[in-house]
Amino acid sequence: MSIRKKIILILLCVIALYSVVQCGIERLIILPSFNSLQQTEAQKNIERCIYAIQNQTNSLGDLCADWSVWNDTYQFVEDKNSDYKESNLLESTFKSINLNLLYIYNLEGEVVWGKIYDLQNETYVEIKEFPKRSLGKDHILLKHDSTESFIEGLYLTGRGPMLISSKPILTSEGRGPIRGTLIMGRFLDKNMIENFSRDLSIIFRVESIKDVSDKEKSKHILGQISKDQPYVLEQYDKDLLRIYGLESDVAGEPAILITVDVPATIMAKGRAVTRFASLSILVAGAIIIFVIYRIMKKTILARLANISKSIDEVIEKEDFSVRTSISGSDELAGLATNLN
């Protein structure tokens, strides 16, 4: 093999080795860093969705507190006076405060007054979870042992998950004795989720655990979620991630599955960066090989060729007066001088 070919082969091996090392760095360090950023963004998105739901629950709790700590409500539990009904328990009340459920119970768990209103169809509805007559004094939503007690969170119903706030009925000064319980609720329905999605600029869905369409998927997700791992992240396709989270109801049982779709833009940028880096290595390698080869050709190969030509000429003509001319002061110039 000629020196020329050996030099080219050595350069190719060096560039190939560098490419392998660089690709390893990209795959083991750079690309995982982009993936980690994408996962962090996905987790932040689902946490923002959960926070939006919790914030809506807190808002409902503030509203419930306004009604439950009120002398008029306190008196109504006792005498069911018509003035309170005509002033407060109207269809317009549900519309004005965006409320779906309003129930007032006495200490025995009996319904003093209660209705559920469908804001979309503008009609009263019934659900089995809230019977007309009594909920039972031992029901979880009615367990208030002190004036500071409150129960807030998710509650599953036949019409879907509902945000619930339950507070003891007290005087306007916040004093007892407790006379009953006031419960307010808002359905966590499609319209509410769409409003959240629009405000947060996040695409997400909420499904009741009982109604999850893909039962196997539900079991798979439930099996992975724990206190140490509250979310499950999966690659739906190369351009989309899906992250799942569970929210429990007021009893602490898994109630809803939250699914957030996260465009894999950061991961796509990571892949683009690694592709660009790989292409850059190839282009830079080609340029380096060309430049080094041109330099070595001028400084070494061409001068060696000149010496070789002179030797061939001496052998061919048997003329020992032939001289080779190599400029410089390096080893090749010394070789030419000794040859001459």
Side-chain angles (χ1 to χ4, degrees), residues 61-62 64-65 68 144 149-152 165-169 180-182:
D62 293 339
C64 188
S68 63
H144 296 293
S149 172
F150 68 91
I151 299 167
E152 289 180 358
S165 179
S166 170
K167 295 183 183 292
I169 296 174
T181 299
L182 187 139

Side-chain angles (χ1 to χ4, degrees), residues 248-294:
S248 300
D249 61 13
V250 293
E253 297 295 327
I256 59 173
L257 177 67
I258 302 173
T259 305
V260 178
D261 291 341
V262 183
T265 52
I266 296 177
M267 293 175 63
K269 288 180 180 178
R271 290 193 295 267
V273 167
T274 53
R275 284 196 299 267
F276 177 78
S278 299
L279 181 61
S280 298
I281 291 171
L282 293 177
V283 173
I287 294 173
I288 290 171
I289 290 174
F290 176 77
V291 171
I292 292 177
Y293 175 75
R294 293 293 295 178

Side-chain angles (χ1 to χ4, degrees), residues 104-255:
I104 300 173
Y105 295 91
N106 61 23
L107 291 176
E108 298 301 317
E110 298 170 340
V111 177
V112 177
W113 191 94
K115 287 189 178 181
I116 303 168
Y117 189 73
D118 186 337
L119 292 168
Q120 303 303 315
N121 298 317
E122 298 185 349
T123 181
Y124 289 108
V125 296
E126 295 181 6
I127 53 178
K128 64 180 182 179
E129 288 77 13
F130 288 91
K132 288 183 177 181
R133 294 184 178 180
S134 175
L135 198 58
K137 64 179 181 179
D138 294 326
H139 194 277
I140 187 172
L141 294 178
L142 304 181
K143 290 184 177 181
H144 296 293
D145 299 327
S146 71
T147 57
E148 303 297 326
S149 172
F150 68 91
I151 299 167
E152 289 180 358
L154 287 162
Y155 192 76
L156 294 182
T157 74
R159 292 178 68 90
M162 175 179 279
L163 304 180
I164 283 288
S165 179
S166 170
K167 295 183 183 292
I169 296 174
L170 308 170
T171 66
S172 296
E173 292 77 23
R175 297 175 181 173
I178 296 173
R179 187 164 282 181
T181 299
L182 187 139
I183 299 177
M184 287 184 171
R186 289 179 180 140
F187 284 114
L188 186 60
D189 55 15
K190 182 179 178 181
N191 290 324
M192 185 181 290
I193 297 302
E194 287 178 350
N195 290 335
F196 289 156
S197 295
R198 183 178 61 254
D199 294 340
L200 300 173
S201 298
I202 298 175
I203 300 173
F204 78 105
R205 297 179 300 283
V206 171
E207 295 178 275
S208 169
I209 290 296
K210 300 176 182 178
D211 301 327
V212 174
S213 55
D214 190 341
K215 298 299 182 183
E216 292 301 319
K217 171 66 73 174
S218 174
K219 291 179 181 178
H220 175 65
I221 299 300
L222 286 171
Q224 294 187 64
I225 289 179
S226 64
K227 288 184 178 180
D228 296 328
Q229 184 182 346
Y231 311 116
V232 174
L233 182 66
E234 292 185 345
Q235 184 89 35
Y236 184 72
D237 57 40
K238 68 174 185 177
D239 298 320
L240 185 68
L241 295 175
R242 277 188 176 164
I243 185 167
Y244 304 90
L246 283 175
E247 278 293 287
S248 300
D249 61 13
V250 293
E253 297 295 327

